[in-house]
């Protein structure tokens, strides 16, 4: 698994930059690498096996009619 | 009128206007003059709507003189974060992307303010699209902290926080997706409320993250904040997130005190974020004060801040990317560097991450709700430190140094930030008070009880010192 991707697929910073037609200087590239690694850590933190019954869309149903 | 006009509260101004001792025109002109003199210190404004404001002030004056009262905001100047629509003006989001975005209709909150007789004084600085940072490559300069212009005013409602603290207006509207009302409130030493998700309509406000966005009031005092919320709250059938339920006035019982209320004290949130001693002591003092006023205060813990941050950031990034993807692909050069790179990062979030984050959100909501079965409010730090220097703000950091405000965006609970002292360097410190969904009135009661015991509201930033620093 690349340090530049989340576990699901190897999307690299270079691939994304090319996809968007962007160019990044060495300093920006370095900080992006660090940020993508942080994102990857966060993704690992949230991606756990959960029951199908724990559906996501009603998390904010805070009120009742 | 003991206080100079720019430092008077809405409560006091409203009485003076209703009794015809003060003209809304005189008030508006005084504030416009103050903005003209001092806004170079704060850069709080993107546009001063002087003509519109004076026209509205003359109308308010005429109505008052003819015995018509529109309530406590009648004749009161307010400002709008520049992602909130004001008919006939641009909503720029502080961005080159929307530099010519002239709008024809008021946002729902703008219309409600006008109907209540409030006077729109201007459009206020924001972080680009409420997601960038304090940037220097945008069409307008970033807002500066009026307590020390070398410091960050907080964001993304950066101009709203600065303008209220500077005495340019007694109230402003902000928006809050991860802390964007409460952080500028904390760093500028004012009161900011993120209401319950669904309480205030978001129609006519540029979205950042639909399931996390909130709009709320920013004021100098707690009571003023509640008065503003009473005007803003209410069901909007055209906002799909709007709650269709009766609204209970947030200001009516504000002086009810805290005797017997159960307060969950959460020092672990600040400790996790490495909060400074000054912040930790400030919040501890709030807990002690509430106890001395008769509240039952007990220490609690919640899931780790990083759980809220991981979950909230995945949702925010995904929803923001869905909005901005066409522009990031087609005209990325129109974004400032900070937002462009943050959006670029958001492109790395997988669809499955988003689904997991939404499921985790449900778990976090349930866990916090379980804790809240025993308590009326939670108190904790609003920010780990006083305002940092503006030039030291990192481009990335939401995942590694998340804001302490984020948990209550994830849960949708109401949360208020208010001043709880000052650092040795003279910058404000802040406490956060969160409550049950749709129980803003309890949050305000606690905040009001604490505010009434302090002298923090008697200090204001020294803008003349700011002018000298600017000239140096």
């Amino acid at each position: 698994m690349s340090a530049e991707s989340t576990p699901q697929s190897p999307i690299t910073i270079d691939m994304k930059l090319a996809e968007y037609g962007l160019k990044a200087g060495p300093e920006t590239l370095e900080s992006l690498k660090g940020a993508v690694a942080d994102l990857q850590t966060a993704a690992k933190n949230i991606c756990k096996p959960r029951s199908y019954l724990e559906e996501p869309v009603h998390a904010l149903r805070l009120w009742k009619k | 009128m003991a206080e100079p006009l720019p430092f008077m509260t809405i409560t006091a101004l409203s009485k003076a206007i209703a009794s015809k001792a003060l003209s809304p025109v005189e008030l508006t002109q005084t504030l416009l003059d103050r903005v003209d003199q001092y806004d170079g210190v704060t850069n709080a404004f993107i546009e001063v709507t002087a003509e519109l404001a004076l026209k509205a002030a003359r109308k308010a004056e005429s109505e008052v003189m003819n015995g018509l009262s529109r309530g406590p905001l009648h004749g009161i100047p307010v400002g709008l974060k520049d992602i909130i629509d004001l008919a006939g003006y641009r909503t720029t989001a502080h961005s080159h992307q929307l530099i010519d975005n002239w709008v024809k209709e008021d946002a729902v909150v703008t219309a409600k303010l006008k109907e209540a007789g409030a006077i729109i004084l201007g459009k206020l600085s924001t972080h680009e699209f409420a997601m960038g940072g304090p940037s220097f490559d945008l069409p307008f300069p970033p807002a500066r902290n009026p307590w020390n212009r070398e410091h960050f005013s907080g964001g993304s409602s950066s101009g709203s926080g600065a303008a209220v603290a500077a005495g340019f207006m007694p109230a402003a509207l902000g928006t809050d997706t991860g802390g964007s009302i409460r952080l500028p409130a904390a760093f500028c030493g004012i009161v900011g409320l993120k209401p319950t998700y669904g309480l205030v309509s978001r129609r006519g406000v540029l979205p950042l993250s639909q399931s996390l966005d909130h709009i709320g009031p920013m004021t100098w005092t707690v009571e003023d904040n509640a008065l503003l919320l009473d005007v803003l709250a209410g069901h909007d059938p055209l906002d799909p997130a709007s709650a269709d339920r009766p609204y209970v006035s947030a200001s009516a019982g504000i002086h009810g005190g805290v005797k017997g209320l159960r307060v969950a004290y959460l020092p672990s949130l600040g400790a996790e974020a490495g909060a400074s001693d000054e912040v930790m002591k400030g919040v501890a003092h709030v807990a002690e004060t509430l106890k001395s006023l008769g509240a039952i205060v007990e220490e609690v813990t919640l899931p780790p801040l990083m759980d809220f941050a991981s979950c909230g950031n995945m949702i925010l990034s995904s929803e923001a990317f869905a909005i901005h993807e066409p522009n990031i692909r087609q005209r990325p050069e129109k974004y400032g560097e900070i937002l462009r790179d943050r959006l670029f990062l958001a492109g790395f979030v997988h669809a499955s991450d988003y689904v997991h984050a939404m499921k985790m959100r449900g778990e976090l909501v349930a866990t916090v709700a379980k804790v809240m079965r025993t308590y009326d409010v939670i108190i904790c730090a609003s920010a780990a430190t006083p305002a940092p220097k503006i030039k030291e703000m990192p481009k990335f950091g939401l995942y590694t140094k998340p804001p302490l405000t984020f948990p209550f965006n994830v849960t949708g609970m109401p949360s208020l930030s208010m001043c709880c002292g000052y650092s040795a360097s003279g910058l404000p410190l802040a406490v956060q008070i969160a409550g049950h969904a749709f129980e803003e009135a309890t949050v305000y009661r606690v905040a009001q009880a604490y505010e009434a015991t302090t002298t923090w509201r008697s200090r204001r930033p020294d803008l003349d010192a700011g002018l000298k620093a600017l000239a140096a």
Side-chain angles (χ1 to χ4, degrees):
Chain A
M1 188 171 62
S2 159
E4 297 176 7
S5 68
T6 49
Q8 291 83 349
S9 64
I11 302 169
T12 66
I13 290 175
D14 289 339
M15 284 164 66
K16 276 279 180 200
L17 284 170
E19 185 186 347
Y20 298 158
L22 294 172
K23 287 178 183 167
E27 213 173 285
T28 300
L29 205 56
E30 206 50 43
S31 68
L32 275 172
K33 278 183 184 171
V36 171
D38 293 338
L39 176 76
Q40 186 179 8
T41 305
K44 278 183 191 163
N45 191 30
I46 63 168
C47 294
K48 293 169 185 165
R50 290 182 173 90
S51 159
Y52 179 77
L53 296 176
E54 292 175 65
E55 48 79 33
V57 295
H58 298 148
L60 277 175
R61 191 170 286 168
L62 299 171
W63 61 90
K64 288 178 183 148
K65 280 196 178 183
Chain B
M1 290 185 280
E3 291 264 28
L5 285 181
F7 300 151
M8 283 174 67
T9 63
I10 293 174
T11 314
L13 288 168
S14 179
K15 279 182 192 159
I17 289 170
S19 68
K20 301 175 187 172
L22 173 65
S23 153
V25 177
E26 180 193 351
L27 172 61
T28 302
Q29 190 60 60
T30 300
L31 296 182
L32 287 170
D33 291 345
R34 183 171 174 82
V35 171
D36 190 43
Q37 186 178 0
Y38 289 113
D39 194 38
V41 176
T42 62
N43 303 327
F45 280 79
I46 282 180
E47 183 163 10
V48 180
T49 54
E51 197 179 323
L52 177 77
L54 286 168
K55 189 178 170 190
R58 284 191 289 271
K59 182 182 172 203
E61 182 184 72
S62 166
E63 288 175 342
V64 171
M65 294 309 285
N66 286 302
L68 172 66
S69 170
R70 292 178 180 269
L73 295 192
H74 202 178
I76 303 294
V78 300
L80 304 173
K81 179 179 184 177
D82 197 24
I83 64 169
I84 301 171
D85 284 350
L86 172 64
Y89 291 83
R90 294 180 300 176
T91 300
T92 71
H94 214 126
S95 178
H96 286 292
Q97 294 280 3
L98 296 183
I99 203 69
D100 291 318
N101 180 37
W102 295 88
V103 301
K104 291 180 181 166
E105 287 184 26
D106 286 328
V108 171
V109 287
T110 309
K112 285 190 173 210
L113 287 173
K114 284 182 176 177
E115 184 59 32
I119 290 160
I120 309 298
L121 208 61
K123 304 296 294 288
L124 302 170
S125 296
T126 167
H127 291 172
E128 190 175 20
F129 283 99
M131 188 185 175
S135 299
F136 295 86
D137 59 352
L138 301 179
F140 315 100
R144 302 274 186 155
N145 195 312
W147 295 91
N148 183 334
R149 71 180 313 275
E150 295 305 310
H151 287 252
F152 184 38
S153 67
S156 62
S157 308
S158 47
S160 304
V164 171
F168 294 153
M169 56 189 65
L173 297 194
T175 65
D176 191 317
T177 305
S180 291
I181 286 173
R182 289 160 291 158
L183 291 170
F187 290 159
C188 294
I190 67 168
V191 180
L193 176 92
K194 179 202 82 63
T196 307
Y197 185 80
L199 185 67
V200 175
S201 169
R202 303 165 307 167
R203 191 153 51 93
V205 181
L206 292 172
L208 169 55
S209 170
Q210 284 94 338
S211 76
L212 292 165
D213 287 344
H214 304 70
I215 295 155
M218 301 171 75
T219 56
W220 186 247
T221 66
V222 173
E223 186 169 17
D224 284 1
N225 206 280
L227 290 173
L228 215 65
L229 185 68
D230 281 348
V231 168
L232 301 174
H235 178 54
D236 173 9
L238 297 180
D239 176 351
S242 180
D244 185 4
R245 66 198 309 282
Y247 175 69
V248 179
S249 167
S251 63
I254 198 164
H255 296 289
V258 295
K259 196 168 183 184
L261 286 185
R262 297 187 66 91
V263 176
Y265 171 39
L266 185 64
S268 58
L269 190 73
E272 272 183 77
S276 70
D277 284 350
E278 287 175 316
V279 167
M280 295 298 279
K281 281 179 189 167
V283 178
H285 184 253
V286 177
E288 286 160 20
T289 303
L290 295 175
K291 201 171 180 180
S292 74
L293 294 172
I296 300 149
V297 181
E298 293 173 346
E299 199 169 314
V300 299
T301 56
L302 290 181
L305 175 61
M306 289 310 292
D307 283 4
F308 288 101
S310 300
C311 170
N313 277 318
M314 288 293 169
I315 295 168
L316 193 161
S317 298
S318 306
E319 294 181 353
F321 191 76
I323 293 164
H324 287 276
E325 187 176 9
N327 279 343
I328 197 80
R329 286 183 186 279
Q330 289 160 23
R331 40 186 213 165
E333 75 286 353
K334 298 272 185 187
Y335 287 112
E337 180 186 330
I338 292 179
L339 179 57
R340 189 194 61 220
D341 288 354
R342 287 181 181 175
L343 288 169
F344 178 76
L345 177 66
F348 282 81
V349 179
H350 294 268
S352 59
D353 296 338
Y354 180 72
V355 172
H356 276 291
M358 290 301 270
K359 287 186 175 187
M360 186 175 185
R361 185 180 199 174
E363 294 164 7
L364 290 168
V365 168
T367 305
V368 177
K370 198 172 170 187
V371 173
M372 287 297 284
R373 272 185 217 149
T374 324
Y375 298 99
D376 296 296
V377 293
I378 296 174
I379 63 166
C380 55
S382 297
T385 63
K389 289 198 167 170
I390 194 166
K391 292 201 171 163
E392 292 173 1
M393 294 306 298
K395 186 189 291 181
F396 301 114
L398 277 176
Y399 289 100
T400 49
K401 288 190 176 176
L404 307 187
T405 45
F406 222 154
F408 306 116
N409 293 81
V410 171
T411 63
M413 298 154 66
S415 175
L416 174 146
S417 178
M418 66 187 295
C419 183
C420 68
Y422 294 87
S423 70
S425 57
L427 293 167
L429 307 170
V431 64
Q432 204 174 177
I433 303 170
H436 289 275
F438 302 106
E439 292 188 15
E440 277 79 1
T442 307
V443 172
Y444 281 127
R445 258 175 74 190
V446 174
Q448 173 63 35
Y450 171 68
E451 186 184 82
T453 68
T454 75
T455 56
W456 311 135
R457 296 302 75 197
S458 61
R459 284 198 212 182
R460 284 279 188 168
D462 180 355
L463 298 186
D464 287 315
L467 278 181
K468 280 182 195 160
L470 187 61

